[in-house]
């Protein structure tokens, strides 16, 4: 099977592929596959292949989620210090509220495949097909064996059969072994395969503050991994730690993994997970490779084919290696198909790392090779976790949103003691980190800098994901379940509000995540009434009022997760309280440089080009700051002052912001800043297109996908209570002609087709997935349409 001269895909390929002509040299260069629960990074190596394996519930811990004891009156004293301008002292005092650190996501181990035939000198090709969800490596075999045919390896993560399946074709002579970085591990033979049992560290001290781990003990999390081999011809021999395949025409390796996780609020199970893994393995072996692959392609395509993007450009380089394309684009050569690839890749990664019933995607999605990973590979909920799910609704992966939505409900339970004991507040809160065990306290054990630890508004921001899921899907049953969680988050925010000297309501204490301002006493982060807090309060309160209107009196009577007669009166009272507070929230203000102020007063920033743009959250992904020309001009000026450069995820956020400001060319410029090889100093992507902070963080991959969607369709606006759908609101001039299908809009509408030429819409077709009345805006025109569920409407 010669690989040179293979036919390439059309330049208008709806779902492109990643292409490489050499194996991955590092973990970040490998290609990811996943089914939401099981993940693998595939190197495509020869003669030694490494497939790095993860399972989404294998974390260190169980973690310490205890709420610290704090002296009576501490919060009052913090507020007094803030009013006195003693911001550093206020932050230092707040350290006494810090609890334990979040725990760390863990690697299970690697499946190592060592090929014993001589290395060949022929063509090599490694791909990741985003539509089929299969990582492939192909090479010509050594001529000196008398066999000049091709060898092909395919790897997939089956959602239907819950295994990683590896197919080796073209003659197989190889030894298979387990490798693991875990200190507590056991490997043993198991028929035509091997078992790997590992225990996670009991606690990981987070990087970068200080690396280290507390060894596993009898209460630690455990993982049971097992692989078996099935061959066509040849022989299979198993020793204590190796499975040897000889002279087989083909072989299939089935990998099953289960852990002892038994719930976020319970200790790990002592039994049952081994049997679950073996049941997965037995079911897969009984089905066989052909059936598993066919089922996988069908279910994966069903997700990926919901949305397609094509651009009519003459600079088609889609048949060239992806890493080469990155280098050439960074050098100034046009390649507008590379943003198409990045768009599809973000959707692929979300489908691979987050499925109904799994854990939510974390800082690295589903994948991690380190026992002490960067930032513990946790959930950073002051931007990064939220960004992971920005494309979920717009790009038709709403079912992949479910793990985060479920986690929000779990955090609501876990966060009530934190609100009560640290703040004397009603409701629930979560600070800037959480993990598998749903920690909600400020982390750091008194050593965490307040600019990270002391931000209690994660609950308010996370609830906006409940709001967005409702707005796109218009599912009243979901809204009834979401309302009590949102109302409980609002109760905390209401109790955090205080009156300032102007009679407005502001949050206190307050930070703008990870940013600091200059004071005579040194850098400070704790003050009162930061813009992000005020915007999130507004977003939350407006959602409560929106939910009340949507449900009506009858809906409210059914809204409680608990007994209706206990929950409903409190929720109704909270909505009224939020309505009154909404009118009193402090307004956003514009500074001396025309910028939107981030703090309660115009302050000198320690880092003027800071990666976070938290004060702009109401423009994107939020909506409450949009529609005001003065504020939009101030947001534009803020972006100019922050500049384009930044970490990968920061650039992605700015792309979405420029899109909301309807400046497609500015967003396109930022796409160029993002789609460049990382230098290790900030931003860019790895050769695999994985986003670089650096190190690797997956949030930027998702943020770029969401930002590209915003260039083409926006629906955050409202007119007379009716959603406004804008078609091509921020089309870059570099994309004069193209077509997108399947993007979703708020109000229960799917833009089934959107085609444009010479920068103008030529055809659009809308489908109502629920009864909908919306305003549609395109090419200077505006039209209000009313549709029944299942009804279509054509424009153009």
């Amino acid at each position: 099977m010669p690989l040179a001269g293979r036919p390439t895909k059309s330049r208008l390929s709806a779902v492109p592929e990643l292409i490489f002509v050499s194996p991955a040299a590092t973990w970040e260069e490998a290609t990811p596959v996943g089914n939401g629960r099981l993940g693998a990074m595939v190197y495509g190596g020869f003669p030694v292949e490494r497939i790095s394996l993860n399972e989404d519930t294998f974390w260190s811990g169980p973690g310490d989620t205890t709420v610290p004891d704090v002296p009576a009156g501490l919060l009052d004293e913090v507020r007094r210090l803030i009013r006195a301008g003693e911001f550093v002292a206020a932050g230092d005092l707040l350290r006494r509220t810090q609890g334990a650190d979040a725990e760390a996501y863990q690697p299970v181990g690697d499946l190592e495949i060592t090929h014993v035939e001589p290395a060949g000198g022929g063509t090599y090709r490694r791909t990741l097909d985003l539509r089929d969800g299969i990582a492939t490596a192909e090479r010509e075999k050594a001529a000196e064996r008398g066999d000049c045919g091709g060898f092909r390896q395919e790897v997939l993560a089956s959602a239907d059969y819950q295994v990683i399946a590896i197919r080796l074709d073209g003659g197989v002579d190889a030894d298979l072994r387990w490798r693991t970085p875990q200190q507590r591990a056991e490997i043993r033979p198991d028929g035509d395969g091997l078992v790997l049992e590992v225990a996670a560290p009991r606690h990981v001290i987070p990087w970068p503050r200080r690396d280290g781990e507390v060894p596993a003990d009898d209460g630690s999390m455990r993982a049971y991994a097992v692989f078996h081999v099935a061959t066509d011809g040849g022989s299979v021999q198993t020793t204590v730690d190796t499975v040897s395949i000889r002279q087989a025409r083909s072989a299939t390796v089935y990998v099953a993994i289960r852990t002892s996780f038994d719930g976020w609020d319970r200790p790990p199970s002592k039994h049952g997970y081994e049997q679950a893994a073996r049941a997965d393995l037995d079911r897969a072996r009984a089905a066989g490779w052909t059936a598993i692959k066919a089922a996988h392609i069908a279910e994966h395509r069903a997700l990926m084919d919901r949305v397609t993007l094509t651009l009519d450009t003459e600079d088609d380089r889609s048949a060239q290696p992806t890493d080469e394309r990155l280098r050439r684009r960074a050098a100034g050569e046009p390649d507008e198909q590379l943003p198409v690839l990045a768009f599809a890749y973000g959707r692929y990664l979300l489908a691979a790392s987050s499925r109904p019933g799994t854990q939510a995607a974390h800082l690295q999605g589903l994948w991690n090779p380190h026992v002490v990973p960067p930032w513990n590979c946790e959930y950073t909920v002051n931007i990064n976790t939220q960004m992971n799910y920005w494309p979920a609704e717009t790009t038709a992966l709403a079912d992949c949103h479910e793990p985060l939505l479920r986690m929000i409900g779990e955090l609501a339970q876990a966060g009530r003691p934190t609100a009560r004991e640290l703040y004397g507040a009603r409701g629930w809160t979560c600070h800037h980190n959480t993990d598998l065990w749903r920690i909600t306290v400020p982390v750091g054990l008194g050593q965490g800098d307040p600019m990270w630890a002391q931000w209690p508004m994660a609950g308010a921001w996370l609830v906006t994901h409940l709001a967005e899921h409702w707005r796109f899907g218009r599912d009243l049953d979901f809204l009834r379940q979401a309302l009590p969680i949102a109302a409980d988050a609002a109760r905390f925010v209401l109790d955090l509000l205080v009156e300032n000297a102007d009679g407005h309501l502001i949050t206190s204490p307050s930070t703008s995540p990870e940013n600091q301002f200059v004071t005579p006493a040194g850098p400070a982060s704790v003050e009162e009434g930061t813009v992000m807090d005020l915007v999130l309060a507004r977003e939350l309160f407006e959602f409560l009022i929106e939910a009340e209107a949507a449900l009506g009196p009858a809906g409210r009577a059914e809204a409680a997760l608990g007994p209706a007669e206990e929950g409903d009166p409190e929720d109704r009272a909270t909505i009224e309280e939020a309505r009154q507070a909404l009118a009193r929230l402090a307004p956003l203000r514009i500074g001396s440089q025309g910028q939107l102020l981030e703090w309660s007063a115009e302050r000198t920033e320690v880092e003027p080009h800071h990666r976070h743009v938290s004060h702009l959250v109401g423009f994107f992904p939020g909506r409450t700051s949009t529609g005001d020309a003065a504020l939009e001009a101030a947001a534009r000026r803020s972006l100019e002052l922050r500049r384009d450069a930044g970490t990968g995820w920061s650039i992605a956020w700015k792309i979405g912001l420029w899109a909301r400001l309807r400046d497609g060319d500015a967003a396109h410029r930022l796409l160029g800043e993002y789609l460049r090889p990382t230098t290790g100093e900030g931003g860019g992507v790895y050769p695999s297109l994985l986003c670089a902070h650096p190190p690797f963080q997956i949030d930027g991959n998702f943020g770029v996908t969401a930002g590209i969607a915003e260039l083409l369709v926006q629906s955050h606006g409202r007119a007379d209570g009716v959603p406004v759908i804008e078609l091509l609101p921020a089309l870059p001039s570099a994309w004069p002609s193209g077509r997108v299908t399947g993007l979703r809009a708020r109000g229960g509408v799917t833009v089934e087709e959107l085609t444009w030429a010479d920068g103008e819409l030529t055809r659009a077709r809308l489908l109502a997935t629920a009864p909908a009345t919306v305003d549609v805006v395109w090419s200077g025109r505006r039209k209000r349409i009313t549709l029944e569920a299942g009804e279509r409407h054509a424009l153009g």
Side-chain angles (χ1 to χ4, degrees):
M1 184 195 302
L3 304 180
R6 287 169 53 95
T8 61
K9 292 188 175 182
S10 162
R11 66 183 175 87
L12 295 182
S13 172
V15 181
E17 62 182 357
L18 276 66
I19 301 172
F20 307 94
V21 293
S22 62
T26 66
W27 184 89
E28 289 81 5
E29 295 179 12
T31 49
V33 298
N35 64 12
R37 186 181 69 83
L38 295 174
M41 291 291 282
V42 185
Y43 283 63
F46 183 82
V48 179
E49 166 66 306
R50 174 186 174 191
I51 300 175
S52 178
L53 297 165
N54 292 100
E55 202 274 357
D56 72 338
T57 61
F58 192 50
W59 288 64
S60 62
D64 179 5
T65 61
T66 305
V67 180
D69 291 329
V70 298
L74 182 142
L75 187 61
D76 290 338
E77 176 61 12
V78 167
R79 287 171 170 163
R80 186 196 68 78
L81 290 169
I82 291 170
R83 289 193 299 271
E86 298 182 45
F87 304 113
V88 174
D92 288 342
L93 186 56
L94 273 176
R95 292 175 190 263
R96 298 182 67 173
T97 68
Q98 293 176 9
D101 294 301
E103 292 300 336
Y105 185 59
Q106 292 294 297
V108 173
D110 298 344
L111 177 61
E112 183 181 276
I113 304 174
T114 303
H115 297 273
V116 299
E117 72 262 24
T123 307
Y124 175 95
R125 190 171 191 264
R126 178 167 62 97
T127 63
L128 178 61
D129 187 312
L130 302 184
R131 186 176 184 225
D132 289 350
I134 298 177
T136 302
E138 300 170 283
R139 70 178 191 277
E140 290 181 349
K141 298 186 73 173
E144 53 263 41
R145 281 191 70 207
D147 179 3
C148 295
F151 176 85
R152 180 180 177 89
Q153 172 184 283
E154 297 174 276
V155 183
L156 61 84
S158 170
D160 293 289
Y161 290 90
Q162 288 298 307
V163 294
I164 303 292
I166 304 152
R167 178 71 171 187
L168 309 174
D169 274 311
V172 184
D173 289 271
D175 295 330
L176 284 67
R177 300 178 180 88
W178 282 121
R179 305 292 188 197
T180 182
Q182 300 296 344
Q183 295 300 305
R184 190 162 174 174
E186 178 187 355
I187 298 171
R188 61 179 182 271
D190 188 86
D192 290 340
L194 295 173
V195 167
L196 169 67
E197 289 195 72
V198 292
R202 188 56 191 263
H203 176 61
V204 171
I205 302 169
W207 177 100
R209 195 176 74 231
R210 57 188 191 278
D211 294 355
E213 58 186 285
V214 176
D217 60 24
D218 290 342
S220 293
M221 283 285 296
R222 282 164 168 72
Y224 180 95
V226 57
F227 75 79
H228 276 196
V229 172
T231 64
D232 177 12
S235 65
V236 178
Q237 292 186 335
T238 304
T239 63
V240 65
D241 64 354
T242 304
V243 173
S244 297
I245 305 170
R246 295 294 184 269
Q247 297 184 337
R249 288 181 289 274
S250 64
T252 304
V253 186
Y254 305 98
V255 183
I257 308 171
R258 293 284 176 172
T259 78
S260 58
F261 180 67
D262 196 34
W264 65 271
D265 55 350
R266 293 188 295 273
S269 172
K270 297 296 185 183
H271 52 78
Y273 54 97
E274 304 98 329
Q275 292 85 351
R278 300 199 72 85
D280 293 336
L281 184 70
D282 291 345
R283 184 166 172 263
R285 291 198 65 173
W289 168 254
T290 301
I292 290 173
K293 180 180 178 181
H296 169 76
I297 290 175
E299 73 87 19
H300 196 269
R301 285 183 179 178
L303 292 174
M304 295 302 294
D305 288 354
R306 292 175 185 174
V307 172
T308 64
L309 172 62
T310 59
L311 298 177
D312 300 335
T313 61
E314 298 303 323
D315 52 18
D316 177 33
R317 303 182 190 280
S318 58
Q320 296 177 358
T322 304
D323 48 349
E324 180 181 331
R325 293 173 66 186
L326 279 171
R327 291 191 295 271
R328 289 187 172 187
R329 196 178 197 277
E333 295 186 25
D335 187 350
E336 294 308 322
Q337 298 303 319
L338 200 54
V340 174
L341 181 62
F343 175 79
Y345 195 35
R347 295 189 69 247
Y348 168 86
L349 291 169
L350 187 56
S353 62
S354 184
R355 294 291 190 94
T358 71
Q359 296 300 309
H362 49 62
L363 278 176
Q364 295 181 184
L366 179 62
W367 304 274
N368 166 48
H370 305 294
V371 174
V372 185
W375 300 288
N376 271 8
C377 209
E378 62 208 0
Y379 299 103
T380 304
V381 286
N382 65 16
I383 171 60
N384 312 98
T385 301
Q386 289 88 340
M387 185 181 286
N388 285 358
Y389 288 89
W390 286 355
E393 301 295 333
T394 53
T395 71
L397 293 173
D399 36 358
C400 297
H401 210 168
E402 187 274 340
L404 178 65
L405 305 180
R406 175 166 30 87
M407 186 174 85
I408 294 167
E410 294 167 354
L411 288 171
Q413 298 178 56
R416 290 186 187 109
T418 302
R420 182 177 62 250
E421 295 172 30
L422 291 188
Y423 296 91
R426 301 168 294 166
W428 68 278
T429 185
C430 179
H431 292 75
H432 94 293
N433 280 158
T434 191
D435 58 15
L436 181 71
W437 312 106
R438 306 312 186 231
I439 190 171
T440 60
V441 299
V443 301
L445 290 172
Q447 300 180 53
D449 194 300
M451 69 174 174
W452 291 298
Q454 311 302 155
W455 183 72
M457 294 292 286
W461 196 353
L462 287 167
V463 163
T464 65
H465 284 261
L466 304 178
E468 291 290 78
H469 190 68
W470 144 252
R471 289 166 183 156
F472 280 89
R474 309 293 290 181
D475 182 342
L476 287 172
D477 288 336
F478 174 81
L479 186 60
R480 293 185 182 104
Q481 296 176 42
L483 179 57
I485 298 171
D488 219 20
R491 282 188 272 275
F492 172 77
V493 175
L494 287 163
D495 287 353
L496 193 65
L497 295 174
V498 299
E499 189 175 281
N500 70 4
D502 297 328
H504 292 118
L505 294 179
I506 57 174
T507 53
S508 184
S510 179
T511 65
S512 193
E514 305 189 26
N515 206 354
Q516 295 177 305
F517 54 92
V518 175
T519 78
S525 56
V526 176
E527 64 138 9
E528 59 183 8
T530 62
V531 165
M532 187 187 209
D533 281 8
L534 296 175
V535 169
L536 291 177
R538 190 176 300 277
E539 298 272 347
L540 175 57
F541 295 167
E542 288 194 2
F543 171 51
L544 287 182
I545 296 167
E546 177 187 348
E548 179 187 49
L551 289 171
R556 282 201 311 272
E558 303 171 17
L561 289 177
E565 60 274 11
E566 295 180 10
D568 292 349
E570 185 181 8
D571 289 349
R572 289 198 296 271
T574 298
I575 294 171
E576 183 56 35
E577 195 178 348
R579 193 191 321 273
Q580 295 179 21
L582 184 62
R584 297 185 59 202
L585 287 175
L588 308 189
R589 298 195 297 158
I590 297 172
S592 62
Q593 300 181 74
Q595 83 280 24
L596 189 72
L597 293 185
E598 183 166 1
W599 313 93
S600 64
E602 189 154 8
R603 306 190 188 281
T604 301
E605 296 171 312
V606 172
E607 293 182 61
H609 311 308
H610 196 269
R611 61 194 175 276
H612 283 253
V613 283
S614 303
H615 52 313
L616 305 185
V617 68
F619 295 93
F620 182 78
R623 65 181 193 174
T624 58
S625 301
T626 61
D628 183 302
L631 290 180
E632 290 183 354
R636 173 183 290 270
R637 183 59 181 147
S638 292
L639 286 172
E640 291 169 350
L641 292 170
R642 283 288 162 92
R643 301 186 181 177
D644 291 350
T647 59
W649 64 262
S650 176
I651 295 169
W653 194 353
K654 293 168 189 172
I655 291 169
L657 285 163
W658 282 118
R660 281 283 174 93
L661 294 172
R662 295 172 178 79
D663 193 334
D665 286 342
H668 184 266
R669 184 182 72 243
L670 267 292
L671 276 171
E673 183 74 19
Y674 176 83
L675 288 170
R676 60 178 175 83
T678 183
T679 62
E681 295 184 359
V685 295
Y686 294 98
S688 60
L689 289 191
L690 291 175
C691 173
H693 181 287
F696 164 51
Q697 280 187 203
I698 203 169
D699 37 24
N701 292 104
F702 299 130
V704 161
T705 295
I708 291 173
E710 289 291 317
L711 294 171
L712 305 174
V713 175
Q714 295 181 22
S715 60
H716 57 281
R718 294 176 71 81
D720 305 321
V722 172
V724 178
I725 301 175
E726 300 177 71
L727 305 179
L728 305 179
L731 185 68
S733 57
W735 301 351
S737 301
R739 181 174 184 263
V740 66
T741 66
L743 292 179
R744 297 172 74 232
R746 295 165 185 84
V749 172
T750 295
V751 183
E752 281 195 316
E753 179 187 0
L754 177 59
T755 305
W756 66 95
D758 299 323
E760 294 292 334
L761 182 144
T762 57
R763 175 177 170 78
R765 186 175 67 250
L766 309 183
L767 168 67
T769 55
T773 296
V774 297
D775 281 2
V776 185
V777 178
W778 78 102
S779 301
R781 302 173 61 186
R782 189 183 192 105
K783 183 178 183 180
R784 179 162 294 186
I785 60 175
T786 297
L787 302 172
E788 296 299 323
E791 188 177 354
R792 289 176 169 83
H793 186 89
L795 300 167

